[in-house]
């Protein structure tokens, strides 16, 4: 009987330690979640302010990009240089079969049409660089 009680006590101690570790992880995750929510709130406010200011100046807000396009643009920002459709597929972790690369290539072409990307040579895409406005345009 003493042997069983010792086993139970050892198991209780192990579970107490595990529970303590889990509480620490929860506290850390709660801090990270709070920080992420604060950042999201600030970004929401910034976006709303920018749209208000644009409306005051009579500027049409840009049409938002669907998530798949945002992922493609993030790949360019991460890479920091021109990419081909196959490279985007690899970065995004999707297949590199023709159906995947052609889907990405179509997205890249649409981004070129919107002047978000450029195609300096066939099949190579880069982020468009914003052209600096002249003082007369900014005033």
């Amino acid at each position: 009987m003493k042997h069983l009680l010792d086993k139970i006590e050892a198991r209780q101690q192990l579970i107490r330690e595990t529970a303590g570790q889990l509480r620490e992880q929860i506290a850390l995750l709660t801090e990270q979640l709070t920080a992420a929510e604060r950042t999201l709130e600030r970004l929401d406010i910034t976006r709303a302010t920018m749209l208000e200011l644009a409306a005051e100046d009579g500027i049409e807000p840009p049409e938002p990009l669907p998530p798949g396009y945002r992922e493609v643009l993030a790949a360019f920002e991460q890479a920091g240089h021109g990419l081909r459709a196959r490279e985007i597929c690899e970065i995004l972790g999707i297949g590199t079969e023709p159906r995947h690369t052609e889907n990405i290539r179509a997205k890249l072409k649409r981004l070129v049409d919107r002047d978000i990307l450029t195609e300096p040579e066939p099949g190579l895409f880069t982020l468009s660089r914003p052209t600096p406005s002249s003082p007369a345009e900014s005033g």
Side-chain angles (χ1 to χ4, degrees), residues 88-128:
I88 297 285
C89 290
E90 291 169 353
I91 290 170
L92 297 179
I94 59 178
T96 55
E97 295 83 25
R99 65 188 171 118
H100 297 293
T101 57
E102 290 308 314
N103 181 25
I104 292 295
R105 189 177 334 283
K107 287 180 181 179
L108 295 171
K109 293 286 189 178
R110 286 186 209 111
L111 290 169
V112 168
D113 290 342
R114 291 179 77 169
D115 294 324
I116 296 171
L117 294 180
T118 59
E119 190 175 7
E121 65 181 61
L124 180 67
F125 299 87
T126 61
L127 286 171
S128 294

Side-chain angles (χ1 to χ4, degrees), residues 1-19:
M1 182 71 129
K2 171 126 173 63
H3 174 68
L4 288 175
L5 291 174
D6 289 344
K7 283 180 77 172
I8 290 172
E9 189 175 318
R11 184 167 292 171
Q12 284 176 315
Q13 183 58 34
L14 177 64
I15 299 300
R16 281 188 193 99
E17 290 172 7
T18 301

Side-chain angles (χ1 to χ4, degrees), residues 58-86:
I59 300 171
E60 288 288 322
E63 197 175 307
L65 293 172
Y69 290 83
R70 285 183 247 147
E71 293 168 355
V72 169
L73 290 177
F76 278 97
E77 290 169 3
Q78 179 184 358
H81 55 78
L83 296 169
R84 299 187 180 280
R86 181 180 186 94

Side-chain angles (χ1 to χ4, degrees), residues 27 30 46 68 71 95 122:
T30 301
T46 301
E71 293 168 355

Side-chain angles (χ1 to χ4, degrees), residues 128-139:
S128 294
R129 300 291 173 220
T131 56
S133 59
S134 67
E137 291 174 344
S138 60

Side-chain angles (χ1 to χ4, degrees), residues 28-90:
L28 178 62
L29 289 172
T30 301
E31 287 176 26
Q32 292 173 344
L33 176 60
T34 301
E37 288 173 338
R38 277 194 307 262
T39 300
L40 184 57
E41 184 179 334
R42 286 195 321 267
L43 289 170
D44 286 341
I45 292 168
T46 301
R47 176 178 167 66
T49 303
M50 288 181 67
L51 292 174
E52 287 173 12
L53 293 173
E56 287 174 9
D57 291 342
I59 300 171
E60 288 288 322
E63 197 175 307
L65 293 172
Y69 290 83
R70 285 183 247 147
E71 293 168 355
V72 169
L73 290 177
F76 278 97
E77 290 169 3
Q78 179 184 358
H81 55 78
L83 296 169
R84 299 187 180 280
R86 181 180 186 94
E87 294 170 306
I88 297 285
C89 290
E90 291 169 353

